[in-house]
Amino acid sequence: MLNDRDFHKNQESVKSAVFIGNYLPRQCGIATFTTDLSESFASIAPDISNWVIAINDKPEGYQYSSRVRFEINQDRLHDYDIAAEFLNMNHVDVVCLQHEYGIFGGRNGGYILELLRDIRIPVITTLHTILKNPSRQEREIMRQLSELSDRLVVMSHRSVNFLRDIYETPEQKIRLIPHGIPKMPLTSPDIYKSKFGMENKTVILSFGLLSPSKGLEYIIKALPAIVKNHPDVVYMVIGATHPHLKIAQGEGYRLSLHHLAKELGVSDHVVFHDRFVNLEDLIDFIGSADIYVTPYLNEEQIVSGTLAYTLGVGKAVVSTPYWYAQEMLADGRGRLVPFRDSHALANEINFLLDNPEERNAMCKRAYQHCRNMVWEEVAKQYLHLFTQAKQTRLRAQVPVTKLKTLSAGRQRLPEIRLDHLRVMTDDTGILQHARFTIPNRDHGYCVDDNSRALIVTIMADNLLPQEPHAKSLSSIYLSFLDHAFDEKTGKFRNFMTYDREWVADDNWEDAHGRAVWSLGVTVAGQDKGLAASALYLFHHSLIALEDLVHPRAMAFSIIGIHAYLGVYSGDSNVRRIRGVLSRKLMEKFRENAKTDWPWFEDILSYGNARIPHALILSGQWMQDNEMLTTGLRALKWLKEIQSDNESGAFSPIGNSEWYRRGGVKSKYDQQPIEASAMIYACIEAFNCTRDHEWIRFAYKCLDWYLGANDLNVSLYDHSTGGCRDGLEPHGVNENQGAESTLCWLLSLIALYNHRGAEDRTEESKREKESSEQTPLTKSKKTP
């Protein structure tokens, strides 16, 4: 630690310092480090000008605090040049760079070297990653980084050895300054547990950005053995999924942990807090922990801010032996277990819980070891280093809440993304098919897909009013339907070639029904211009509805009619047509249904659940109990038919041979249209019965897209926002066509809408607590 005389001498020497790196609210460990270091530096040296150049990983950047005065788009080389000029013009005394290969643009982050070459300022570089086996390019970048820096700061003794022995860095350039930690007293976890509703619980904690390399599944696998001995244990996982992983793979890793906990029967002992928490909240979470666990899978981790924080506040730690853990947990400051060994994790955790005296002694050893790591002391060491760099100029070549368990909580929904929809759409409409992820123009367009796309964009616009593309896409799809409508026949033509020529097709019913459905939804939407155009088409398309003979076409039309009646409930003619179509469906059921086959036809083919969905809607609002009961009966049977006997997962009827009465259910090709139809029908069944089993099955259908299916592969592509076309006997169909992507989006939007409706119901219920309540009311539906 520096004495007061040296400290004030350093303050007099350095007048300004700039930190370069990621910065909060960007979600990553380096952003947290840069923020903590710059703020701590400001607190110990308020008279020194201290600001930040933030590195952005997205063009729009982030809402930074006033500490950030300049931003660099990591992939724009020109930004690095301008930043160097900005630094030189501001006569900064010293620059402190936070380095990690992946946060800068260029091959292996090489763009940052351009900035360093152009500045005439002493540079202190803090190294957050030092590779034991670097590639030639990585070694060269580190060599140049060492050459262009006045000092290299590392945070572990092993890092010093690596720089000296592997990268041949001169020892006089290397400085060891530990990772900073918050200043907290050594206190009992019980003081903090009440903040999270964890009184009388034993808390095991992991925190940080989630990714598969964290190995959290091994703790969950260890939980049954831990809970058996300590039934009061709760495992808390604090932190959001790493943003870059989320873009590429969505919440797949987190969801796999959810499913694992449920499978092992320990979901009541697991809490996920899916947030990137601020320092104040993080301190409270750490404070509540009895044991902290880092089960990382890879040895090559040279520093860990999460481990430093937890040791610094005096927590008992069990960890796998990655490099930083080996060093920090030496001399009895923690326990190490082999990689990927849940049995060893369970044994060590049980030992510490069974021996509180040993655990407390470990906590005290860790706490005392880390007293020189508090941010105030770390900032003073950086200030001392800044002063040395300025004075000696070694760079001779350059002139101067209460949380819920998984059982109590609800599944996190993926983000609604229209990226692939935009890719598949041109100024005519949405193309039917794709070859892998690119539109296949050979098959042109169809009303079926443009109708689905119109529904998606209208509903997305309601959910995401800031989505910039929803309205323009809606206009394209509605224009396509307008052009498809044949005034002479009163029917919609379905297929158009890429050359914009209509193809004769006598099978008009499904396309007509889907068009009516989409028009009804558009009439009920928020955009008055689109609604007016849709209203004209809707009324002109009604004439053909009474000629429909196929049950799915009737069902599509009924669903659209209910959306329309949500706005124009007094339209007698539309109500009459609804009655005609609904009674036709009932007649088909009476003609075909048997005790062991309660269905409308002798075959289960495609989009099956839309038929009972339509009857459930009509049964409620026509006050026809037989109709409602029939819809629910048929849907319940369909749900049983499409449930895996062992796992209970959704296993839809395959489209290769479908399922005929007296035959065998086709297992493949399973397609997204079945999951989408089932989700909508289940939500409507829940709306009128309040039986949560329907909602549980709707989420199983969503999970089918995400990998909980017969092939255990994800159909949803997190990187494109598209959906693969189906499950085939030998794997997934990699084409991401319009129908599959639209069915995925329809499924997701349906569950978002359901969740919003339930939230509003609960809010209304709380507001009326003082009055006598009837059972939960139905969510808003069409009259």
Side-chain angles (χ1 to χ4, degrees), residues 292-326:
Y292 178 72
V293 187
T294 56
Y296 301 163
L297 303 183
N298 301 314
E299 182 185 40
E300 297 185 356
Q301 182 157 342
I302 205 72
V303 67
S304 168
T306 61
L307 182 59
Y309 272 40
T310 48
L311 285 172
V313 298
K315 293 298 170 182
V317 175
V318 177
S319 176
T320 50
Y322 55 92
W323 292 331
Y324 191 65
Q326 292 178 35

Side-chain angles (χ1 to χ4, degrees), residues 12 18 22 66 85 90 104-105 138 177 190 194 208 249 283 301 353 371 428 443 478 546 561 577 628 717 769:
E12 293 173 1
V18 173
N22 301 349
S66 59
E85 182 179 341
N90 278 276
F104 303 110
E138 288 163 342
I177 300 179
D190 295 334
S194 61
Q249 301 178 20
I283 288 173
Q301 182 157 342
L353 294 179
R371 287 312 84 208
T428 299
H443 300 279
L478 183 55
E546 294 187 60
I561 284 172
I577 294 173
L628 175 60
D717 185 342
E769 282 179 341

